[in-house]
């Protein structure tokens, strides 16, 4: 349980040019790596600015499930 905040710099074409974790209350390096790998594949809409810097906070909390958890769709 906790929060990981990511800061991204997005160029005018909508591609991520830089990303970093700015806050992490979980402290799990494997989770940081997994988040970074997913985010680097994101594409945003093109925009007029040369670049934009945005922060995304991700909140994680325990979830109860009735049965096995499956990967993927």
């Amino acid at each position: 349980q906790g929060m990981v905040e990511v800061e991204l710099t997005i160029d005018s074409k909508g591609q991520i040019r830089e990303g970093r974790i700015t806050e992490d209350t979980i402290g799990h390096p494997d989770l940081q790596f997994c988040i970074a790998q997913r985010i680097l594949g994101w594409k945003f809409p093109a925009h007029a600015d040369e670049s934009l810097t945005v922060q995304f906070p991700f909140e994680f909390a325990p979830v109860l499930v009735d049965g096995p958890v499956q990967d993927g769709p």
Side-chain angles (χ1 to χ4, degrees):
Q1 181 171 333
M3 190 267 297
V4 175
E5 183 175 88
V6 178
E7 181 178 275
L8 302 175
T9 301
I10 304 164
D11 70 14
S12 62
K13 295 178 184 176
Q15 297 178 344
I16 296 173
R17 290 295 168 214
E18 185 178 342
R20 65 187 183 105
I21 293 176
T22 56
E23 187 173 348
D24 180 4
T25 64
I26 300 171
H28 197 289
D30 289 340
L31 178 61
Q32 291 179 4
F33 180 78
C34 184
I35 291 171
Q37 290 300 306
R38 291 292 184 163
I39 288 174
L40 290 176
W42 288 0
K43 175 91 166 120
F44 292 86
H47 54 86
D49 296 320
E50 186 175 317
S51 68
L52 295 172
T53 300
V54 296
Q55 285 94 18
F56 289 99
F58 294 92
E59 296 279 341
F60 295 90
V63 176
L64 298 175
V65 294
D66 292 335
V69 176
Q70 298 178 1
D71 286 339

